[in-house]
Amino acid sequence: MVNRHQENSNGARRVTVREGANHALLDDVAKQIIEQLQEDGRRPYASIGKAVGLSEAAVRQRVQRLLDAGVMQIVAVTDPLQLGFPRQAMIGLRTDGDLEPVADRLAEFEEIDYVVITAGSFDLLAEVVCRNDAHLLEILQKLRGVPGVLSTEAFVYLKLRKQTYSWGTA
């Protein structure tokens, strides 16, 4: 797996996984540790150790290996509404030419928290978090100015019904 860790101008760390990355082979204990942290990312290593049958030190080492390998991140997940960003949208982009440089350029936008190269009617999808509709319009205009972007289509979120971070351990 080829991971590249970069910091943007705000000091936030971004992990980029390149095409051809192999999925990590996780044993059952690693999966149980991940499940414990998905339930509560602040759960003490001693508690995790009791649940999975390891010592606190062994859990600490395994968690560090999972973090270093890019298998997982432990982050604070925020509610954009509570932080003054009531407008969210998924933006479909049609592009011309090589997708990688366009995707990399989109990943630099502070307002974009998710970029994926897709198959189908859009070449790329980007999720944005905005202060209001005027801010969304400003972002759309900036996106349309990125070299290689032919068109955009915004799908405004009206209500979030489900959001989980529990995949990958079953």
Side-chain angles (χ1 to χ4, degrees), residues 38-54:
Q38 285 174 324
E39 289 174 14
D40 180 359
R42 297 178 358 161
R43 182 166 290 156
Y45 291 151
S47 297
I48 296 170
K50 287 178 187 172
V52 303
L54 293 176

Side-chain angles (χ1 to χ4, degrees), residues 93-109:
L93 298 100
R94 291 184 180 87
T95 64
D96 185 31
D98 188 1
L99 296 174
E100 295 280 343
V102 178
D104 289 343
R105 176 64 184 104
L106 297 184
E108 295 173 4
F109 281 65

Side-chain angles (χ1 to χ4, degrees), residues 51-162:
V52 303
L54 293 176
S55 69
E56 178 181 351
V59 171
R60 180 177 285 105
Q61 289 175 343
R62 280 180 168 252
V63 168
Q64 192 59 54
R65 282 197 304 259
L66 291 167
L67 293 168
D68 291 345
V71 171
M72 68 177 190
Q73 297 177 52
I74 300 173
V75 298
V77 178
T78 59
D79 179 353
L81 290 173
Q82 299 293 323
L83 296 175
F85 296 98
R87 176 60 67 220
Q88 292 179 269
M90 184 66 68
I91 301 173
L93 298 100
R94 291 184 180 87
T95 64
D96 185 31
D98 188 1
L99 296 174
E100 295 280 343
V102 178
D104 289 343
R105 176 64 184 104
L106 297 184
E108 295 173 4
F109 281 65
E110 183 177 328
E111 299 91 347
I112 295 177
D113 61 21
Y114 178 85
V115 178
V116 63
I117 296 173
T118 65
S121 60
F122 295 105
D123 299 308
L124 300 167
L125 292 175
E127 185 180 64
V128 296
V129 179
C130 310
R131 293 182 304 275
N132 50 39
D133 287 339
H135 187 209
L136 175 58
L137 180 59
E138 177 186 319
I139 293 167
L140 287 168
Q141 290 170 337
K142 286 176 21 181
L143 289 174
R144 291 176 182 142
V146 171
V149 172
L150 298 176
S151 66
T152 63
E153 185 173 345
F155 300 90
V156 174
Y157 298 178
L158 299 177
K159 188 173 186 179
L160 181 63
R161 297 297 295 181
K162 181 179 181 180

